[in-house]
Amino acid sequence: MDSYQPTERSKVKRGNKRAAYDHQTVHAIFDALPLCHVGYVVDGQPFVTPTLQWRRGTRLYWHGSSASRMIRTVSGGMSVCVTVSALDGYVMARSPFHHSINYRSAMAFGTAELIDDADAKDEALKHMFEHLFPGRWDDVRGNTEKELKATSVISMNIDEASAKIRTGPPVDDDEDYDDVKCWAGVLPVEQIPGAPIDDGRLLDGVGFPDYLKMFLPK
Amino acid sequence: MDSYQPTERSKVKRGNKRAAYDHQTVHAIFDALPLCHVGYVVDGQPFVTPTLQWRRGTRLYWHGSSASRMIRTVSGGMSVCVTVSALDGYVMARSPFHHSINYRSAMAFGTAELIDDADAKDEALKHMFEHLFPGRWDDVRGNTEKELKATSVISMNIDEASAKIRTGPPVDDDEDYDDVKCWAGVLPVEQIPGAPIDDGRLLDGVGFPDYLKMFLPK
């Protein structure tokens, strides 16, 4: 099984029973959670910027306006940490100490690089669409030269990465199961699609497309 | 209206029509989104660690195991950026360029400090419970001395902060409304409570508590 090699930087220090480094686990979490948090440093000051990421193989991509702080900083090649996480539930134990959360998270380290070439940018954005909304690219109009100029795409090889997952019920101290009379269990948190809202300016004959049906409420 | 004073560090560079600095907006986003991403720097390397945060006034708090990398790093006082964000929907436009997301995010800067004193730690954890699960603290057993020793609580005054929010439909180029025949609108993403799962070891007579009823599915 392909795996990222943990180092001092990426090895999960705490709760390492919950850690994984294999490509399959790490990539599945990045793919399931498009909203990422990009950490980078400017003059010793950390910044954490939320943005959408997408993945191809062992590379992550994200984009932004050419005016953003992150994009202006990255141009020289920038050490970044990209983290995604989801809260899947509150874990309610019999003591404060054993309260926890169920979650999935993944953290990737690498050097971010700007994609400068207009064609390469266009291709990367097409991949974003294929990744997030397969079928959408062919339905919309293509990028103009001016739009590509105003968009910055960043790419990063995942040099190291780790995943961390917690699932299941609380784990209480033995004596608390008998002694503490309170409700204990998991309060799940779910992320689900809401009903689509069209923008009221659809042309005649335009309906909701089949290729977006995974975004419909179940 | 109380407001954080934006500086070069915290001023929103891009999309500043969507930015806010007033306490009310910034605090409401932190309060609604307990899962945060803490950015910090170790030897020039950025780390972004997900954890739960809670707020009192203009201070943020989070906690962790004394064994974690973040906690070991923070002890000397550490410059951090704490970001929360939620994806509220995919904004599907008629061109790739105008695709966007609806979101709420807030970013806070400050210096993180360890809370060392056991009583202060206990009080902070009680506030976490009151913040996240009002009523829960009195239902569980209290912290032991050993547990308090194994828990680290971090506190940070919010020196600067900004919020950024996008809502509403796509905004397309004028000519695309007439020329591009594709579905356009918002695909909402909602975070909702799932049905609680008790841990199967509840004592006789213990039911789901009233004080957690905001975690029940609607």
Side-chain angles (χ1 to χ4, degrees), chain A residues 8-9 13-14 37 45 48 65 69 83 85 93-94 96 136 141 176 183 186 188 190 192 194 197 199, chain B residues 8-9 13-14 37 45 48 65 69 83 85 93-94 96 136 141 176 183 186 190 192 194 197 199:
Chain A
E8 178 56 28
R9 173 170 74 166
K13 296 279 183 289
R14 194 223 156 195
H37 288 81
Q45 169 70 53
V48 179
S65 152
R69 179 186 287 107
T83 300
S85 66
R94 290 161 180 83
R136 181 75 180 163
R141 74 152 167 79
D176 288 341
W183 188 86
V186 174
E190 291 168 10
I192 59 156
I197 304 161
D199 76 349
Chain B
E8 178 55 29
R9 174 171 71 168
K13 295 279 183 290
R14 194 223 154 195
H37 288 80
Q45 169 69 53
V48 178
S65 152
R69 178 186 288 106
T83 300
S85 67
R94 289 160 181 82
R136 181 74 179 165
R141 73 152 167 80
D176 288 340
W183 188 87
V186 174
E190 290 169 10
I192 60 158
I197 304 161
D199 76 348

Side-chain angles (χ1 to χ4, degrees), chain A residues 17-36:
Chain A
K17 281 178 305 185
R18 298 176 189 159
Y21 304 93
D22 63 281
H23 285 192
Q24 202 181 344
T25 305
V26 170
H27 294 173
I29 294 174
F30 274 105
D31 293 351
L33 304 172
L35 185 65
C36 72

Side-chain angles (χ1 to χ4, degrees), chain A residues 155-168:
Chain A
S155 153
M156 177 190 104
N157 185 59
I158 304 175
D159 293 336
E160 295 171 38
S162 63
K164 218 173 152 188
I165 299 170
R166 191 201 188 281
T167 58

Side-chain angles (χ1 to χ4, degrees), chain B residues 93-165:
Chain B
R94 289 160 181 82
S95 62
F97 189 73
H98 287 298
H99 275 67
S100 186
I101 56 172
N102 283 337
Y103 61 88
R104 289 159 291 156
S105 72
M107 193 183 284
F109 296 95
T111 302
E113 302 152 25
L114 264 186
I115 299 181
D116 267 332
D117 179 72
D119 289 343
K121 256 191 237 181
D122 196 49
E123 202 194 341
L125 294 170
K126 184 179 171 182
H127 291 144
M128 174 176 76
F129 271 61
E130 282 169 359
H131 189 80
L132 290 173
F133 322 111
R136 181 74 179 165
W137 189 262
D138 295 331
D139 215 9
V140 298
R141 73 152 167 80
N143 278 311
T144 65
E145 217 172 297
K146 194 179 149 198
E147 287 171 344
L148 284 173
K149 207 163 270 177
T151 305
S152 294
V153 179
I154 293 178
S155 152
M156 177 190 103
N157 186 59
I158 304 176
D159 294 336
E160 296 170 38
S162 63
K164 216 172 155 190
I165 299 171

